[in-house]
Amino acid sequence: MADLFAETTVFKALDRTLHYLVPAEMGGQAAVGKRVIVPLGRSESLGLIVALQETPPLLHNGLVCRPIKAVVDAAPIVPAELLELCQWVSSYYFYPLVEVFKTALPSGIHNSPSIRFRITAAGREVAKSWEEAPDLLQLLVQRESVSLAQLKEIPLSPAKVREIMRRQESQGHIERCFDWGPSPLRPKVVKSLRLLDAEAAQAMGDNENLRALVNHLQQARGRAVPLRDLRKNIRNLTYWARKLAEQGVVAVDCGKELRQSDFAQEMVVSSPPFLTAEQSAIFEEVDPYLEERRFQPFLIHGVTGSGKTEIYMSLLERALSLGLGALVLVPEIALSTQVEALFRQRFGQQLAVWHSGLTSGARYDQWREILTGARKVILGVRSAVFMPVTNLGVIIVDEEHDGSYKQEDRLRYHARDVALMRAQMLGIPIVLGSATPSVQSYYHAEKRRYKGFCLERRILNRPLPQLQLVDMRRESADGRVLSAALQRALADTLKNGEQAMLFLNRRGFASFQLCHRCGHVLQCRHCSVSLTYHQKEGALRCHYCGWQCGVQQQCPVCGQMSMILHGYGTERIEEEVRRRLPEAVIVRIDRDTVSGPAAMAGCLNAIRSCRGNVLIGTQMIAKGHDFPNITLVGIVNADTALQIGDYRSGETTVQTLMQVAGRTGRGDKPGRVILQTYNPEHYTIKAVMHMQYGVFCRQELESRNALQYPPFTRLVKFMVTAQDEGRTQAAATQLAILARQTAQEFRLGSKPVAILGPTPAPLAKLKGRYRWQLFAKAWTNQDLQEFIGVVLAAAKRSKELRQVQLSVDRDPITTL
Ligand code: ADP
Ligand code: ZN
């Protein structure tokens, strides 16, 4: 039989694959997508086979392919289709394949196992005549396997132990085995007690705790009771459980428990409604593509409450009835809302949920269930786009415009774009939905690359909210935070027993501390951003790196006692409301008050069950939540994002404000929105006031066309960072020279590329590192792809650039 060679990504080595020989005895087990243990230098590493071939790879002179040491998986953990996707991601985003796997696979799966030793059958046979190191022998004979740490405890010098081990191993008396270590990969075991012999139990004495335990078990009438349930009521449980087990009076059952998401919201169960005519028209359009398995992107532009989610669910049911799996992506925040409960109610045990609030154990269990096909509908955030769904038939990306789909560090991928590629590779339909589609998707729908649908009305003709603008330039000093109109509306709402929501995209109490003499603003020591004042801690804090210091009286620049606090955040709003409306029961949601999904669920439940009546928050409350009793939304400062000099800041402002406005009037009562602004004439504010998102998109596209910004061009951002300022700038300058040379060559080949920069990033220093950036713009994807490749290769040869960190951000969503 011909030799077989495996091309393998190696988790310990970065950016390239290595080739190994598949030993004849492993030939049957080796397969693409399985993990293997391979030799790497003098140690070993875990790897994943990405290709198998019979022709030997070309190696440098004198090198030979070393053999794989072991095949780890019984079945591939990365199906062929997903492997192809990961390879595309790696090349499109210029990121090593191994790192893509680290994003795509649950953590723990790429950890190399720790090495253990065990005695072989041959070793046991000669054990009697084994005279050296009796302690070592005893350890090996007694234990199933022995770790390196345990070997260290043997009263011999480590060198001596190593020498003996090596010799015994070469003689085949001991062998290595692997411990996969961290618990996420081990199933969670639930221990339970089952009473076998009630009489014997009674006879064991009359200790109070023992009595209580036996009583509990008797009440279960032969069923097993989990230890964790008993623990609440019985003291010394571990002791008594062991005693009873030793006497054979109880049996100890060990069951595996599936760990899953449990932050679902309280929800009233109801049966699915019949689709309206508008909803079923969309369903009927998508359905043939599902059935025939054909690639086609769809875009549903539907105002909040227009019934998009119902359409998704009908499509999922259809996919299941065809024996297909489905993937639903949602923004992180949306999952802490009722969405999970809604899907669980509809899809029960078929549903897997994937978000950052899961423990790593729960993630692993969910992922396994998806891999084996036990769960067919996956509801998840960004990285769920990589889930190994069996027989994937349709992908849905809800709130497709949402910024959280873009990962902003390491692998800078956009989950919606990866989802589009996956759908195209598989030849299946993909449905993008949003109340405020990205300008880019809107453009594709206009150009008929996507099939676009519009849902302009809410279900049951619930009215859209009424908007009222408050020009803050006209407010008296007293109303600078909450205008008179907003204060009045709040009071009315509470009087009617309804709920209100106040939105402000900034947390903390004051935005910054400033010297009113010289204008100096206190900045973070490690980042080029101003410090935010937090009243509760009485401290100024950096929102980027967490550095904090006390409030200053004296200006560090001019020396005057002239420092004042300026601007306001959610903490301040909370105080204002408390002062003006004592009857308000406030729930505040921002990153200072809510630490994780569980806390978030708690806060949201407080609003849903009407234990609170004023919800104050940052963008954490802007999306997805469906609160029928909220009839007033106050947008405290609509201008927070406008000043940012980003080509997309208009788009994100309109999207956020319209999302927030959509939070009201979701129940039977009509809703009302009060929007406070200092820029009433700004085109984004006008678009929101008229709730005309389509009009805004067309305006925005016109100006982007004039400036040749995406979607009319493709952008890439190169970012150079280092701790030394001069070095960062020198490297950025060198990068710009390389880029301009390359662009010159490209132009000669009729592949125009424009270079912008280099400039210090708007956030010029972050966590102690200086940042410079350079943009390149091309008119086709292929040109840009090729261009980046050439520039990166040149950068590898540059001395200046080798001393700094260089990252590539393909299709950056901000120019900051
Ligand atoms: P969206 O996802 O567009 O915000 P949803 O699908 O959540 O909208 O629908 C908004 C509300 O209307 C929900 O409470 C939902 O249960 C209800 N709804 C959706 N479709 C129908 C329908 N065909 N008949 C009755 N109620 C519906
Ligand atoms: Zn900082």
Side-chain angles (χ1 to χ4, degrees):
M1 209 177 77
D3 279 340
L4 199 56
F5 297 90
E7 185 182 350
T8 308
T9 56
V10 180
F11 288 114
K12 269 189 195 164
L14 271 184
D15 52 14
R16 60 197 188 91
T17 53
L18 299 173
H19 291 87
Y20 292 93
L21 177 73
V22 181
E25 72 273 14
M26 280 179 210
Q29 296 166 40
V32 170
K34 286 187 182 182
R35 285 174 301 166
V36 284
I37 291 167
V38 292
L40 184 71
R42 277 199 281 166
S43 68
E44 43 212 6
S45 169
L46 194 61
L48 192 130
I49 303 181
V50 297
L52 283 173
Q53 62 201 44
E54 288 188 356
T55 40
L58 289 173
L59 295 174
H60 288 298
N61 279 346
L63 285 181
V64 285
C65 257
R66 299 166 76 188
I68 288 174
K69 292 206 160 174
V71 177
V72 170
D73 298 304
I77 61 163
V78 180
E81 164 254 330
L82 191 57
L83 178 60
E84 196 190 342
L85 183 74
C86 290
Q87 284 167 326
W88 176 82
V89 167
S90 166
S91 66
Y92 185 81
Y93 292 103
F94 292 89
Y95 216 70
L97 183 58
V98 156
E99 294 295 309
V100 178
F101 285 141
K102 286 186 182 167
T103 304
L105 298 170
S107 62
I109 234 175
H110 32 70
N111 290 348
S112 290
S114 60
I115 296 173
R116 298 178 75 91
F117 297 90
R118 68 176 166 226
I119 191 162
T120 61
R124 278 186 201 278
E125 271 178 27
V126 297
K128 289 200 191 70
S129 55
W130 201 356
E131 284 184 349
E132 58 186 355
D135 294 333
L136 176 61
L137 176 66
Q138 202 181 7
L139 197 64
L140 284 163
V141 171
Q142 279 176 352
R143 307 273 170 114
E144 200 172 314
S145 67
V146 177
S147 70
L148 290 172
Q150 287 166 330
L151 286 180
K152 286 212 182 91
E153 285 166 18
I154 293 182
L156 282 176
S157 80
K160 182 74 185 161
V161 172
R162 259 202 308 277
E163 185 233 297
I164 298 173
M165 295 297 289
R166 220 175 353 239
R167 184 149 31 81
Q168 297 293 349
E169 192 178 0
S170 68
Q171 290 170 359
H173 297 154
I174 55 175
E175 64 183 5
R176 284 158 196 247
C177 53
F178 304 101
D179 175 8
W180 293 92
S183 50
L185 273 50
R186 297 215 182 103
K188 179 168 176 183
V189 175
V190 182
K191 278 194 187 168
S192 325
L193 294 184
R194 195 156 38 86
L195 190 60
L196 298 174
D197 188 341
E199 274 172 35
Q202 299 292 358
M204 275 184 65
D206 53 17
N207 175 288
E208 184 187 343
N209 298 325
L210 173 66
R211 284 273 147 267
L213 173 57
V214 172
N215 264 342
H216 262 88
L217 294 177
Q218 264 177 327
Q219 279 165 17
R221 295 175 196 283
R223 268 183 298 114
V225 186
L227 280 182
R228 66 166 171 238
D229 295 348
L230 294 168
R231 191 149 286 139
K232 286 174 227 149
N233 303 314
I234 291 151
R235 277 182 293 145
N236 274 337
L237 178 65
T238 318
Y239 172 81
W240 287 113
R242 182 151 34 92
K243 265 256 149 32
L244 289 172
E246 277 166 11
Q247 303 284 321
V249 174
V250 298
V252 182
D253 296 347
C254 292
K256 283 185 192 169
E257 187 185 58
L258 191 71
R259 292 158 290 190
Q260 49 183 353
S261 170
D262 54 1
F263 297 126
Q265 292 273 290
E266 296 163 8
M267 200 163 115
V268 191
V269 178
S270 59
S271 53
F274 288 106
L275 294 186
T276 63
E278 278 185 299
Q279 286 171 320
S280 35
I282 298 175
F283 175 86
E284 296 297 336
E285 279 279 334
V286 184
D287 188 41
Y289 291 86
L290 195 62
E291 216 167 305
E292 295 157 26
R293 308 209 61 168
R294 258 195 295 153
F295 172 62
Q296 174 62 49
F298 296 88
L299 175 66
I300 306 179
H301 174 194
V303 296
T304 35
S306 60
K308 296 184 294 295
T309 310
E310 249 343 290
I311 303 177
Y312 306 153
M313 291 206 276
S314 307
L315 287 169
L316 300 180
E317 274 161 0
R318 182 82 178 118
L320 287 176
S321 75
L322 293 168
L324 302 172
L327 183 57
V328 185
L329 300 184
V330 290
E332 180 85 49
I333 288 294
L335 261 189
S336 43
T337 66
Q338 63 277 29
V339 174
E340 180 179 337
L342 194 66
F343 276 73
R344 199 171 290 294
Q345 179 196 326
R346 201 69 80 79
F347 300 102
Q349 290 304 308
Q350 307 248 48
L351 180 74
V353 180
W354 185 258
H355 59 75
S356 67
L358 300 180
T359 62
S360 47
R363 277 174 163 249
Y364 180 73
D365 285 359
Q366 300 281 306
W367 174 83
R368 269 279 163 207
E369 294 258 297
I370 297 165
L371 184 66
T372 56
R375 290 177 192 246
K376 295 203 164 64
V377 177
I378 288 78
L379 175 69
V381 300
R382 187 169 65 212
S383 61
V385 73
F386 293 110
M387 285 299 104
V389 189
T390 322
N391 223 352
L392 184 56
V394 61
I395 304 179
I396 286 156
V397 184
D398 192 26
E399 315 268 8
E400 64 87 28
H401 67 281
D402 196 273
S404 72
Y405 286 126
K406 177 78 195 281
Q407 178 153 303
E408 289 289 19
D409 61 345
R410 301 180 4 257
L411 173 58
R412 293 177 161 80
Y413 70 103
H414 198 300
R416 176 201 55 217
D417 299 345
V418 174
L420 280 159
M421 182 42 78
R422 191 169 184 184
Q424 187 171 7
M425 284 175 163
L426 282 169
I428 57 170
I430 174 168
V431 180
L432 312 179
S434 175
T436 51
S438 60
V439 167
Q440 167 189 336
S441 296
Y442 189 88
Y443 176 69
H444 289 317
E446 277 209 326
K447 292 279 162 209
R448 313 225 176 274
R449 276 177 224 137
Y450 299 174
K451 285 190 186 228
F453 305 102
C454 222
L455 292 171
E456 278 164 0
R457 281 172 303 142
R458 285 183 161 176
I459 287 291
L460 308 175
N461 271 325
R462 279 177 196 142
L464 287 169
Q466 284 192 334
L467 276 86
Q468 179 188 343
L469 183 140
V470 175
D471 185 345
M472 293 303 277
R473 294 171 305 185
R474 306 226 176 100
E475 281 300 306
S476 66
D478 180 50
R480 281 287 153 74
V481 177
L482 301 177
S483 62
L486 185 51
Q487 287 180 35
R488 231 177 299 122
L490 269 173
D492 287 347
T493 305
L494 299 193
K495 201 163 68 209
N496 293 339
E498 294 161 7
Q499 293 171 305
M501 177 173 130
L502 295 176
F503 170 79
L504 179 64
N505 216 347
R506 219 161 36 197
R507 60 202 166 95
F509 191 84
S511 316
F512 50 91
Q513 204 183 9
L514 146 136
C515 169
H516 70 83
R517 288 289 177 86
C518 74
H520 177 73
V521 172
L522 285 186
Q523 292 218 324
C524 173
R525 182 175 291 175
H526 311 286
C527 313
S528 56
V529 295
S530 52
L531 295 167
T532 305
Y533 174 60
H534 290 257
Q535 190 179 50
K536 197 164 150 227
E537 298 95 42
L540 293 162
R541 176 148 24 103
C542 170
H543 284 179
Y544 287 86
C545 75
W547 185 78
Q548 60 178 44
C549 65
V551 178
Q552 315 281 311
Q553 306 300 331
Q554 189 179 20
C555 174
V557 174
C558 69
Q560 301 282 332
M561 300 300 275
S562 52
M563 296 305 286
I564 53 167
L565 289 165
H566 213 85
Y568 51 86
T570 41
E571 192 183 11
R572 169 80 184 280
I573 304 296
E574 180 177 354
E575 196 197 71
E576 287 272 336
V577 174
R578 207 171 291 269
R579 192 155 51 82
R580 292 174 194 278
L581 295 164
E583 70 272 33
V585 183
I586 299 175
V587 177
R588 189 175 114 215
I589 298 187
D590 57 35
R591 266 191 293 150
D592 297 317
T593 56
V594 171
S595 51
M600 180 81 171
C603 289
L604 295 174
N605 277 329
I607 292 293
R608 187 155 297 118
S609 61
C610 296
R611 271 170 278 150
N613 54 13
V614 178
L615 176 61
I616 299 175
T618 54
Q619 63 259 60
M620 288 174 82
I621 61 170
K623 296 168 204 159
H625 314 300
D626 189 350
F627 298 117
N629 200 35
I630 288 190
T631 55
L632 172 69
V633 166
I635 296 172
V636 178
N637 183 348
D639 311 329
T640 42
L642 285 181
Q643 296 86 353
I644 299 169
D646 188 29
Y647 83 95
R648 285 182 71 260
S649 61
E651 177 180 347
T652 43
T653 300
V654 175
Q655 285 165 349
T656 308
L657 297 183
M658 288 183 84
Q659 294 276 343
V660 175
R663 293 304 118 223
T664 178
R666 309 227 359 153
D668 300 330
K669 298 167 212 153
R672 181 174 172 201
V673 179
I674 294 182
L675 183 148
Q676 306 190 143
T677 177
Y678 285 91
N679 299 286
E681 300 303 323
H682 198 280
Y683 76 112
T684 56
I685 302 293
K686 282 190 158 161
V688 175
M689 286 309 297
H690 298 128
M691 291 300 256
Q692 285 177 330
Y693 191 70
V695 175
F696 165 77
C697 282
R698 262 167 263 139
Q699 274 178 340
E700 184 75 13
L701 280 167
E702 244 170 63
S703 76
R704 292 212 196 156
N705 193 4
L707 298 166
Q708 289 293 288
Y709 269 128
F712 300 95
T713 51
R714 310 291 296 241
L715 276 185
V716 64
K717 173 163 76 178
F718 295 98
M719 175 80 80
V720 171
T721 66
Q723 273 175 350
D724 182 87
E725 192 170 10
R727 203 169 263 189
T728 314
Q729 182 175 357
T733 311
Q734 182 57 27
L735 181 67
I737 293 172
L738 294 175
R740 291 212 156 83
Q741 278 168 359
T742 312
Q744 183 69 27
E745 289 157 22
F746 269 60
R747 229 165 283 139
L748 294 176
S750 299
K751 293 181 271 193
V753 179
I755 311 294
L756 308 143
T759 52
L763 203 67
K765 188 181 169 199
L766 182 65
K767 297 179 186 172
R769 294 181 73 87
Y770 291 88
R771 296 146 50 90
W772 275 67
Q773 59 191 23
L774 178 78
F775 286 89
K777 172 156 96 174
W779 280 260
T780 74
N781 184 27
Q782 292 83 342
D783 288 357
L784 191 60
Q785 191 72 12
E786 213 180 299
F787 174 82
I788 301 169
V790 174
V791 171
L792 287 182
K796 278 214 177 100
R797 296 189 295 268
S798 144
K799 188 171 79 30
E800 287 88 348
L801 281 154
R802 274 203 304 262
Q803 294 177 342
V804 299
Q805 202 179 327
L806 170 62
S807 67
V808 175
D809 188 353
R810 197 80 162 74
D811 311 321
I813 59 165
T814 103
T815 48
L816 297 185

